[in-house]
Amino acid sequence: MKKIIIILLTVIAVSFTTSCNESTKTVYLYIYDMKDPFMEDYANAILEYAEGNFHVELFDAQNSQIIQNEEIEEGLENNPDLIIVNPVDRLGAYTIVNKVKESGIPVIFINREPLASDLISYDKAYYVGAVASQSGIFQAEIIDNLFGNNPLNLNEFDLNDDNIIQTVIFKGEQSHQDAELRTEFVQSTLIDLGYTIDVLSIQTADWNMQNAYLLAKNILIDYGEQIELVISNNDAMALGVIQAMVELNYIEDSNLDGKIQKDTEAWVPVIGIDGIHEALEKLENGYLYATIKNDSDAQAVAVIQLSVSILNNTDFISTAFNLVDGKYIWVDYQKEY
Amino acid sequence: MLRKLNISQGILLAIMSIVTIFLLVFNIILIATFRTTSLDNVKYSSREINKQVIMNFENYIDNVIETSNYITAKTLSLTVDDNISALEETYLQASALSKDIVSIVLLSENGLNVVNSNGEAITSDAASKSWFTKALDTPEIFNFSTPHNQDIFSVSNRQVITISKAISYYDALQVLKTGVLCIDLNTESLISLANKTNLGENGHILIISDTGDYVYSNNEECTLGVCASRTLADDLIFGGQTVVVDTEKMYLNVNTLTHTRWRIATFINIQEIYNSQTRMMFTSIGFFLVALLSSYIVAVGLSKRISNPLHQLSEHMNKLDQDFILEEIQLTGQLEVVTLSESFNEMILEIRSLMDKLVTEQKEKRKSEFFALQMQINPHFLYNTLDSIVWLAEKEKNQDVIEMVIALSKFFRISISKGKNIIPVTQELEHAKNYLNIQKIRYNRQFDFEFITDDDIYHYSVVKLILQPIIENAINHGISSEEGGGFIKIIGTLENGFISFEVINSGYGLTNEQINTMYERMREGGKAQSVGLRNVYQRMKIYYGEEADIVISSQMDEYTSIKLIIPARKDA
């Protein structure tokens, strides 16, 4: 009997000490779709930077809110210390907020911004992301630079020399918050800067390269030489447009060196957003004029810093980021051209 | 404790414990597997059904949004050219193409009509409607209202769901304006969509908006007020779990519907699965009990069959052990048991023959002992008598010689009695008288004797030559030649089936100590003194066993009595 008690006590003591040693916190990371290259980079960056800080478990919702709901439901049963959610449907985020509110687990939303009212309803709900409008503004600033910083007298990129920019816009998704804001702000900023723009066509290609490629082919047939500028809501669509332009020789590598010489070879400026890997390659080779880097790396750093402060229950102190209203961290886009 | 079990209990215990353990494990695994798999199946299929419902609604909503996006794009491009009539045509077509769409209207920021698919008069207070203000408050999203009476027109009694969104258009002055696009959908298609899925008996759907209002429920109770289902759905927020609604088990799934901020809760009846689970459990418990019972019966039978013959055998052994009853045994059953019983029987036979042999040997031994003892009696008496006859003849006492020789002849006739050991009591008494007559002459008639006998004893027989040695002792020890006038009395009686011969002689008598010594010598032998008493005692014991006895009593200076007690027997 004595022996049994001693063994029992030892087991309890050992399990107690081991559980004490297990102070590494667990964070569940829910990504809306790991097939999205941007989110893949983002998630990998979080995984990389989390090392040594806390343990991260990754869940891929495969672009289904139902799957994500299931994953969160099951995940919450294990009582993680924090969850980071990249919602599939940002409007549905209020249910996630309500769900975690019950268990008191903090939640950081990333990349897709829930409605402000939903975020306010829970004191441990945060958002880390970029200001969508900023990418549009940055695009406009690059365009301003491209056309010579003088709206009243455009440079040689105003092909027909009418002081009006003839442009085609590739929109991500009708009614999509980012798409709408990017489309709106690039135009309004240019107008505010004093430019006159002529939107030849707005094409909605659902963020998708293949869609953009097919639509661009038609557009090039319709408008062809008139097009002085292509504005795309993201890099994937920009790459689709470039593919179409290369096929129809609007962009042509005459000397076959794999690069486009802007002053000697056929070329049309295309501007994207996101700064994905392939886009940066095309940028390097001169096919893509510019992109606005949605800095997943910087956002991942912000997420890690915020997570650490939440997990350790300390104030958020960072030289790089500000915690706005105790809820938001806005990470700046980067111009790449 | 286990060691104290007998064979049948051991067999029973072994079989029953194995059977019980196996059946128990089998049953538990069966039930557990069935439970988990059926629960997993319920969970899985319920989630799939819910997914299907959500997807149906999503398709529906996507269609509406697509239409709305198309209209938004058209609105922007056509108003640029101030081609309002073409735009109206587009609105009309879009609403005509979908049977779900009741009306599509674009209102200005002030709630005034810009484009209208129906041509009906717009209500004057459109700008104050919640769908209108919401659209302007959250311009980036589509606002889905709950079902309500259509209120965009002055007159309408249709039930609709309003989808409103802030969109841009160019007014007549080519100024970019923000307006509110309002698409009214009839609720019928939503209801038919909800009712399309089979959710089992009493299964139902709740669609709840983010503000907690019902969009739709096909559960009447829920449309009237707060119901149990609603509470369950609100508590769960989203996800799936088993719940009980009105005593029926349901699987509840709640998921959000993209774009709308609605939650759809499906209650799928799974009572039947639980019932079948319960049935399954009872069946398997029943099976368990039946199997246990039948294996118990078989085990009992088997153990009985094995142990019963062994039991019989052991009982027989006990009999043999305690009562020494040698009985053969007839056992049926297993080969081993039959062999065992055969061996047992052989053993019994062997014991019997051994015992018979032993008995005969004993008999023989006793006979020879008996004869040997009988033979000891005569010789010295014969020599003494012959000496006396010689002496009488020398004195020329012819009469005495004649009497003595006649008595001697009678004496020996009876002594021999044709080799028989058992003689009638009369002959034994006759023999004793002859002996006394001889001795009386030899002792010069210095003593006298008397026989007092019951007639009853004459019918019986006794071992021969038992009185003569006792009388011889009485003469030797009781008759003193100096004093003279000795007396010997022989009393023969029948008491309670025992014949007793008491030989009493007058004389000094014996002390108790002397009597005890005599008993000792009589029983255990020892020095050759009173060989006669011992001889008689031993022959009586050999022939009659424990029943026969000799009792010695005496009164100092009066008499000494030796009493022979013999079971009365008539056999020859």
Side-chain angles (χ1 to χ4, degrees), chain B residues 496-516:
Chain B
N496 305 323
F498 284 88
I499 294 168
S500 82
F501 293 113
E502 193 171 8
V503 178
I504 304 165
N505 69 283
S506 57
Y508 310 121
L510 299 167
T511 61
N512 281 338
E513 212 176 306
Q514 283 173 314
I515 291 173
N516 285 339

Side-chain angles (χ1 to χ4, degrees), chain A residues 69 73 94 99 118 174-175, chain B residues 47 69 236 238 240 255 261:
Chain A
N69 284 351
E73 187 194 8
Y94 78 100
K99 194 88 177 176
D118 296 340
Q174 188 65 45
S175 303
Chain B
R47 280 186 191 272
N69 285 341
L236 187 59
F238 67 78
N255 264 308
R261 288 172 74 78

Side-chain angles (χ1 to χ4, degrees), chain A residues 64-70 72-74 76 88-100 102 115 117-118 173-177 180 202, chain B residues 43 47 50-51 54 65 69 72-73 76 138 140-142 165 208-210 235-241 254-263:
Chain A
S64 159
Q65 187 61 55
I66 297 174
I67 293 178
Q68 190 167 62
N69 284 351
E70 272 176 27
I72 292 174
E73 187 194 8
E74 280 165 22
L76 289 179
V88 180
D89 170 27
R90 70 190 191 97
L91 297 182
Y94 78 100
T95 57
I96 298 171
V97 170
N98 286 342
K99 194 88 177 176
V100 292
E102 280 183 346
L115 294 189
S117 56
D118 296 340
E173 199 178 308
Q174 188 65 45
S175 303
H176 189 286
Q177 183 199 20
E180 297 292 350
I202 296 181
Chain B
K43 201 170 147 186
R47 280 186 191 272
N50 178 268
K51 223 176 258 184
I54 301 272
I65 285 175
N69 285 341
T72 307
L76 199 63
T138 47
E140 74 272 22
I141 63 170
F142 287 93
K165 175 149 187 355
I208 309 158
S209 78
D210 57 329
D235 287 348
L236 187 59
I237 303 173
F238 67 78
Q241 69 176 193
V254 186
N255 264 308
T256 46
L257 184 58
T258 318
H259 298 301
T260 58
R261 288 172 74 78
W262 291 348
R263 285 181 305 141

